[in-house]
Amino acid sequence: MEMNVKVINKSGHSLPVYQTDLSAGMDLHACLTEPVTLKPLERMLVPTGLHIELPAGFEAQVRPRSGLAFKHGLTVLNSPGTIDADYRGEIKVLLVNLSNDEFEIRDGERVAQMVVAKHERVEWLEAEALTDTERGAGGYGSTGK
């Protein structure tokens, strides 16, 4: 299933694309005038130069790239970051360096991936009780050994 999404691209780089036919995410590229260095435990907003107009009922999720996370310890701090359908500003990626080494980010570097997903809106129904389940109120780790 495909959908059309309006995009303004001020980056000078190609638009995000799916790398394979079955990919869920598209890579986002850094839009920088000069390289920046991310020190250990430092975080920064990395601009992409992209502005999008999603239809109502959809969000764009900004997620880490597995290769950057595994090889260099870089991840998206608020993962997944949510881009709401009514946001028209530039998409920026909140990266954090969890390694012990500095990492240089250059213009055009693939810094994150973006997944567009449908979502539902909730209308809360206040209640005095919830349906019983086998798990019940068991919290963190309650279903493991």
Side-chain angles (χ1 to χ4, degrees), residues 78-94:
N78 61 327
S79 183
T82 295
I83 301 163
D84 295 308
D86 59 352
Y87 178 67
R88 298 294 183 266
E90 180 180 13
I91 295 172
K92 295 181 181 178
V93 177
L94 181 54

Side-chain angles (χ1 to χ4, degrees), residues 98-127:
L98 298 178
S99 77
N100 295 319
D101 302 312
E102 293 183 350
F103 185 84
E104 184 179 76
I105 303 168
R106 295 182 205 95
D107 184 49
E109 181 119 26
R110 296 180 300 158
V111 292
Q113 60 178 318
M114 182 172 64
V115 174
V116 175
K118 186 168 181 47
H119 68 81
E120 301 294 329
R121 290 190 54 92
V122 171
E123 184 174 327
W124 297 108
L125 301 174
E126 290 197 48

Side-chain angles (χ1 to χ4, degrees), residues 1-5 18 20-26 55-59 115-120:
M1 179 175 141
E2 290 186 14
M3 63 188 294
N4 294 320
V5 174
Y18 297 101
T20 68
D21 289 342
L22 299 179
S23 294
M26 299 170 273
F58 288 85
E59 67 163 326
V115 174
V116 175
K118 186 168 181 47
H119 68 81
E120 301 294 329

Side-chain angles (χ1 to χ4, degrees), residues 5 14 30 32 42-43 54 62 71 88 107 110 112 136 138 144:
V5 174
S14 61
L32 302 168
E42 186 177 19
R43 62 188 180 271
L54 291 170
V62 178
K71 295 175 186 172
R88 298 294 183 266
D107 184 49
R110 296 180 300 158

